[in-house]
Amino acid sequence: HVFLRSFRGTYLDVEGTTVRARWAHRGAWQRVQLCHPQACAVGDKRRAVNNGDVVRVLAHTGNFLAVNGEELSTCAPTESLAIAEFIVHVKRTGSGLRHHSAVFLQSRVTECVLDCNLGDDTVRARWKDFGEWQGFAVEKDVGKEVAPQPKPMLNLEALFKAAPKEQPAQ
């Protein structure tokens, strides 16, 4: 399990079928799993995730995040899962997805990247850009709810500026 932190410092959360990034704490509603489509089908969700891999994002509800147009919601595992598949773009490639990795999740259906807006807490898939609004930091689940730390959070912008921008493979 992991948490996906937006550039605003809020974590992606799922309530019912609605996906947002409302709070700066990690709890059950913010906990997700990134799993390979084949692994999801057989219940094996412990495979390493690398740059360019296709994954499904499993919410605590048992449903997958899904893109429909620009909207992000959830779908049942029995529904058409093409809308629930994302290409993972890791900012620093080479060692796969790790704690505090900066990532972009690109819809396989629309080719748009998940984004979190400054003006509201809705997570969408509107643009094909790989900018600050589209980045999420992956944080490892430590097995308990964690309140925000008194010291500043890891600066997501610094992660994106630290390495040269790479264009995703087409």
Side-chain angles (χ1 to χ4, degrees), residues 11-133:
Y11 293 88
L12 183 141
D13 68 87
V14 177
E15 181 179 12
T17 61
T18 304
V19 182
R20 293 178 279 208
R22 297 180 282 185
W23 299 297
H25 71 273
R26 303 182 306 194
W29 287 8
Q30 291 80 21
R31 190 173 287 120
V32 298
Q33 284 182 296
L34 303 178
C35 56
H36 294 272
Q38 299 81 5
C40 288
V42 296
D44 176 19
K45 299 177 183 89
R46 303 291 271 156
R47 210 171 117 195
V49 176
N50 293 299
N51 188 56
D53 283 354
V54 173
V55 298
R56 294 183 184 148
V57 182
L58 181 64
H60 70 94
T61 60
N63 292 330
F64 294 108
L65 301 191
V67 174
N68 185 6
E70 290 185 352
E71 301 301 315
L72 182 66
S73 61
T74 63
C75 70
T78 55
E79 293 181 37
S80 169
L81 293 176
I83 61 172
E85 292 182 350
F86 298 90
I87 302 166
V88 175
H89 299 277
V90 181
K91 181 63 180 178
R92 295 182 188 197
T93 60
S95 59
L97 197 61
R98 302 176 65 98
H99 183 58
H100 284 171
S101 290
V103 299
F104 301 97
L105 296 173
Q106 182 181 31
S107 168
R108 285 192 68 196
V109 172
T110 67
E111 297 183 358
C112 292
V113 181
L114 295 188
D115 70 87
C116 188
N117 195 354
L118 273 175
D120 62 35
D121 56 20
T122 305
V123 180
R124 298 178 182 92
R126 298 178 284 186
W127 302 294
K128 296 180 181 181
D129 298 335
F130 291 81
E132 184 181 11
W133 286 16

